[in-house]
Amino acid sequence: MPVLEGKELRIVGFLCNWCSYGGADTAGVARAGQPTDLRVIRVPCTGRVDPLFIVKALLEGADGVLVSGCHPRDCHYAVGNFYARRRLEVVREFLPVLGIDQRRFAYTWVSASEGQRWQEVVQKFTAEIHALGPAPRLEDAKPLLRLADMALSSLHPLGTGQKAPLDELKAAIRAKLPELECVIGWQQGYDAAHVVPLFMKTPEDVDKLVWGPFNVNNPAVYLPQFKGKKVGVVVKGCDSRSIAELLQEQLISREDVTIFSIPCEGVLDMARVNTELGRYTKIDGVSMDEAGVTITADGREHRFCMTECAQGKCYGCTTPGAVIADQRFGAPVEVTPGAHTPPELAMLDAMSLEERMGFWKAQMERCLRCYACRNACPMCVCRDHCISDSREPHWMSQADSARDKLFFQAIHALHLAGRCTGCGECQRACPVGIPILALRQQIARAVGNLFDGYKAGIDPAAVPPLLTYAVDETHIHEREWK
């Protein structure tokens, strides 16, 4: 391939200082012809390449990104590229959900003595980028607003929890309360159709505890704040997964937390409920049966069936019972085995790359940048040092652009790789209803596909896949050109 043909494109290369940078230097000394599109950034090790480097480069206008380092088993730092291999494969699977062609990113291994191989690698990758042409820009995408189809069948029966043994639960909490700082649960909010967190410290507080389809909040988000204190928490199945993940990461201590559990039959999508209710003066009453909820507002009745109005996460829930608990109440719920794609993710799967980019542009233009998604996430525990607020390093600006907002969502999603338990608090807390859970679900799907079906928050003793490595990966082929 000639050194330069036609229009030069923008390709960013992250090269390991000890191997691939040396290989590029060897090719240069040998006067091996190389395309001039590549802009090289030297890094100490591919293990130092944060997946956010790739996403930021592609969102900021790069037409392609290449990462190259030492061959596995030949790393200057022993295992840096083993960790990198897992991270890079996950980010490669994540890019399409943003509307970015994954062929615009590649990673490979070139040693310092392989000048000829480096020449072949960079020429081949550059040729592929030229064949793809200039990368589409988020700013130029045509906005697309589309709603997910929620008409899905669930893996277990959905209901309102009318037969839940709430009195037994309250009695157990009262008995345990003297030993605890507090017990976290739910209570009625500003009206009978909304529920807020409850911190029970006295027997009178326990009387306020409620259970049902309005218990949408995840109480696990508060546990890190009580680290070192004895606390109790009432959980749904998805909430317990968050606790298991917090235990995995040693963000809480098992001996400090008492877990009370009742099997969950699903919770309502409160965004849809509030939309249906519209503007009202007061809630006149709420009645429930096993199939759904009837809310009377300003004299008008509104019916919400659980099979139609549950949160999207409930349809594919495989853990209606807690994965970890000290005291369990109620009969277990049977789950039907089978694959299930969340509705928002299924909607994105059906789109082209251009449509996905337009979809996220339209959604991010609606974003208020209030960070409610971050604050509600039980696994987002570094909010006092959040990358979105940091100026050292200066990852993000405060510009009110769709690109900056989408990059923040990519940061949040990638920081949850192998950690997100799918509780849906990020999407539930969003005041404008952006389906950002789909980004986390795509990451979870990629992690599951790459690492033998791994799911976060199932086994407190497990090691998250991105915090470890395997010399011989089952689903990652180290010498295959990506």
Side-chain angles (χ1 to χ4, degrees):
M1 174 180 175
V3 173
L4 180 63
E5 287 184 356
K7 179 180 173 63
E8 186 174 284
L9 298 181
R10 290 166 292 187
I11 302 175
V12 179
F14 295 98
L15 274 57
C16 161
N17 174 70
W18 304 99
C19 285
S20 290
Y21 190 84
D25 190 51
T26 300
V29 170
R31 298 185 181 277
Q34 300 179 53
T36 57
D37 307 70
L38 187 68
R39 304 294 188 269
V40 172
I41 298 175
R42 181 165 55 171
V43 295
C45 175
T46 48
R48 175 62 182 86
V49 178
D50 193 312
L52 295 175
F53 294 171
I54 292 103
V55 176
K56 185 172 179 65
L58 292 169
L59 286 179
E60 293 284 348
D63 298 302
V65 176
L66 175 67
V67 176
S68 186
C70 308
H71 290 283
R73 304 178 184 82
D74 193 28
C75 177
H76 185 80
Y77 297 102
V79 297
N81 51 13
F82 287 134
Y83 285 102
R85 186 169 56 184
R86 290 194 166 194
R87 297 173 193 153
L88 297 176
E89 193 68 26
V90 168
V91 76
R92 182 175 178 273
E93 296 298 315
F94 175 67
L95 291 175
V97 80
L98 299 176
I100 299 173
D101 194 327
Q102 63 182 183
R103 292 175 295 176
R104 295 190 179 276
F105 167 60
Y107 67 93
T108 190
W109 321 113
V110 177
S111 72
S113 62
E114 294 179 315
Q116 183 177 355
R117 173 172 165 77
W118 170 254
Q119 180 192 33
E120 294 170 355
V121 164
V122 72
Q123 286 184 345
K124 182 175 181 180
F125 183 64
T126 302
E128 289 186 359
I129 298 302
H130 274 269
L132 292 172
R137 303 291 185 261
L138 184 68
E139 293 80 359
D140 300 330
K142 182 180 179 181
L144 172 66
L145 285 173
R146 187 175 295 175
L147 296 176
D149 180 11
M150 301 298 292
L152 298 175
S153 58
S154 60
L155 297 182
H156 66 83
L158 298 178
T160 58
Q162 293 301 289
K163 296 182 179 179
L166 184 58
D167 290 337
E168 293 180 29
L169 173 62
K170 289 181 177 179
I173 292 174
R174 290 191 189 96
K176 193 71 175 176
L177 198 58
E179 306 172 22
L180 304 173
E181 182 86 9
C182 70
V183 177
I184 310 170
W186 302 269
Q187 65 178 330
Q188 181 179 311
Y190 50 87
D191 59 44
H194 296 85
V195 165
V196 296
L198 168 66
F199 297 86
M200 294 169 273
K201 296 184 178 181
T202 66
E204 292 73 24
D205 291 336
V206 180
D207 294 331
K208 301 176 185 177
L209 180 66
V210 297
W211 180 267
F214 296 114
N215 292 15
V216 294
N217 307 74
N218 184 349
V221 70
Y222 300 105
L223 292 180
Q225 302 174 26
F226 288 93
K227 188 173 183 180
K229 299 179 181 179
K230 302 288 186 180
V231 295
V233 60
V234 184
V235 297
K236 308 183 293 292
C238 54
D239 305 335
S240 71
R241 289 182 58 186
S242 299
I243 294 176
E245 187 64 27
L246 290 169
L247 290 170
Q248 277 183 266
E249 300 179 20
Q250 300 180 9
L251 295 169
I252 59 176
S253 299
R254 182 67 184 92
E255 58 270 19
D256 290 341
V257 181
T258 301
I259 306 169
F260 303 90
S261 167
I262 294 180
C264 177
E265 296 179 18
V267 291
L268 285 168
D269 185 340
M270 295 308 298
R272 298 171 67 186
V273 171
N274 291 331
T275 299
E276 172 67 21
L277 293 178
R279 298 177 66 89
Y280 60 87
T281 304
K282 66 173 182 175
I283 297 292
D284 300 315
V286 174
S287 61
M288 300 185 195
D289 53 42
E290 293 185 13
V293 179
T294 300
I295 301 176
T296 305
D298 292 339
R300 292 184 56 194
E301 289 189 353
H302 303 265
R303 176 67 176 175
F304 302 96
C305 292
M306 292 301 297
T307 55
E308 299 173 359
C309 299
Q311 288 191 26
K313 66 175 182 178
C314 298
Y315 294 97
C317 177
T318 58
T319 56
V323 298
I324 179 173
D326 294 297
Q327 298 190 40
R328 300 175 185 268
F329 304 89
V333 177
E334 185 176 345
V335 178
T336 303
H340 188 281
T341 302
E344 292 89 353
L345 197 54
M347 174 187 66
L348 288 166
D349 287 344
M351 294 182 183
S352 65
L353 290 174
E354 293 76 16
E355 288 175 329
R356 291 175 199 168
M357 186 169 286
F359 175 81
W360 288 117
K361 179 182 180 181
Q363 296 295 340
M364 291 302 108
E365 286 176 344
R366 300 170 56 230
C367 175
L368 306 176
R369 204 164 178 175
C370 64
Y371 299 129
C373 51
R374 174 195 67 184
N375 296 339
C377 177
M379 303 313 304
C380 196
V381 294
C382 55
R383 62 194 60 164
D384 291 337
H385 308 281
C386 182
I387 200 170
S388 64
D389 302 324
S390 172
R391 295 298 171 265
E392 292 182 0
H394 196 172
W395 275 94
M396 298 175 59
S397 74
Q398 294 301 312
D400 186 34
S401 68
R403 184 177 63 188
D404 278 85
K405 295 171 185 176
L406 183 57
F407 184 52
F408 169 74
Q409 294 301 335
I411 291 172
H412 198 182
L414 287 167
H415 280 184
L416 293 172
R419 304 174 63 234
C420 178
T421 58
C423 70
E425 283 295 273
C426 52
Q427 186 165 309
R428 182 199 62 78
C430 179
V432 293
I434 299 174
I436 50 178
L437 181 59
L439 297 175
R440 286 77 170 156
Q441 290 167 339
Q442 173 63 17
I443 283 283
R445 180 166 64 178
V447 169
N449 291 340
L450 291 169
F451 307 113
D452 300 316
Y454 179 85
K455 287 186 178 181
I458 298 297
D459 180 6
V463 179
L466 297 189
L467 295 183
T468 185
Y469 66 91
V471 175
D472 296 306
E473 297 283 2
T474 305
H475 303 292
I476 303 175
H477 307 291
E478 64 187 47
R479 292 188 181 274
E480 180 181 334
W481 171 258
K482 294 296 182 183

